[in-house]
Amino acid sequence: MNTDVKKPVIHFSLNPSPKDKLTANQMIILAQEFMQRMGYGEQPYIIFQHSDIDRKHMHIVSVRVDENGQEIPYRFDLKRAIAHCREMEQKYGLHPPTKSDTKQEIAELKRVDYPAGNVKEQVKRTARTLIERYNVRSLSELNTLLELYNIRIDEVKGVTEKGPYHGLMYGALNDNG
């Protein structure tokens, strides 16, 4: 409804502590309250709950354009999101994240090992964790990080009979790159 909005989609990731054993319904309630607090409660959004990093967490995707075509501002969203998460942790008696949680999660990451099998899952888990934890500014910087774990991302562009395509291709590397 508003083609001037450069980033019409927004993504949040809510990662309760592994110590908090939450049901699916409890996680949905947290996601709904979080979206309300962030100003997206009336927007359509979808919640993906999964445990690809050895604990349950949620990804929430929504649109940044309201029903009238107005852009929903997102300045300081990260800072506000963190503040809302800390408030909700207190309200619901949840464990706040600690630096050791993050360090342990990163320490548990291993290089992709093709002979071990399930390469797609290994690549997905490792890449997602690294992308969520590190602030990189370019595909080159991201590849420098990912290659430490035997992963590479290449930008792909082309044209087929259905039209042009543009995306990213993830691949596993051997220990020699």
Side-chain angles (χ1 to χ4, degrees):
M1 291 186 65
N2 185 340
T3 57
D4 293 332
V5 177
K6 290 186 172 113
K7 295 183 179 181
V9 176
I10 191 148
H11 167 256
F12 297 104
S13 178
L14 299 181
N15 297 275
S17 169
K19 298 172 196 165
D20 297 317
K21 305 297 183 202
L22 302 172
T23 66
N25 282 342
Q26 288 171 321
M27 291 183 78
I28 289 169
I29 289 168
L30 289 174
Q32 289 171 332
E33 182 172 335
F34 175 82
M35 291 300 280
Q36 199 66 40
R37 286 173 177 244
M38 290 298 294
Y40 293 92
E42 304 305 315
Q43 292 296 100
Y45 58 87
I46 188 163
I47 305 166
F48 297 91
Q49 178 185 318
H50 57 106
S51 52
D52 63 336
I53 56 172
D54 295 332
R55 64 180 156 123
K56 287 184 190 176
H57 64 283
M58 298 171 279
H59 294 273
I60 309 168
V61 179
S62 186
V63 292
R64 294 191 42 254
V65 178
D66 69 17
E67 68 275 2
N68 299 315
Q70 296 298 310
E71 178 179 13
I72 298 173
Y74 68 100
R75 281 192 67 188
F76 307 112
D77 265 0
L78 178 60
K79 190 179 267 188
R80 290 185 323 118
I82 291 169
H84 291 313
C85 286
R86 297 300 87 84
E87 291 167 10
M88 290 170 59
E89 287 163 359
Q90 288 183 343
K91 177 180 177 180
Y92 293 106
L94 302 173
H95 295 86
T98 63
K99 289 188 182 214
S100 66
D101 289 340
T102 301
K103 286 179 183 172
Q104 180 181 0
E105 195 169 275
I106 296 294
E108 289 175 358
L109 290 178
K110 296 181 178 116
R111 296 177 78 138
V112 172
D113 180 16
Y114 184 82
N118 204 0
V119 174
K120 182 178 177 182
E121 186 62 33
Q122 289 183 64
V123 168
K124 181 173 78 169
R125 177 179 301 199
T126 303
R128 280 188 180 167
T129 302
L130 293 171
I131 289 167
E132 287 175 0
R133 297 291 178 228
Y134 288 92
N135 182 20
V136 294
R137 295 187 182 130
S138 68
L139 187 58
S140 175
E141 282 183 21
L142 179 58
N143 270 324
T144 299
L145 174 64
L146 292 175
E147 286 172 359
L148 297 172
Y149 294 89
N150 288 354
I151 301 172
R152 177 157 180 86
I153 299 177
D154 291 308
E155 186 175 19
V156 292
K157 294 180 185 180
V159 179
T160 66
E161 61 277 355
K162 294 182 180 180
Y165 63 89
H166 183 206
L168 298 174
M169 181 176 65
Y170 291 71
L173 304 172
N174 63 22
D175 287 337
N176 298 324

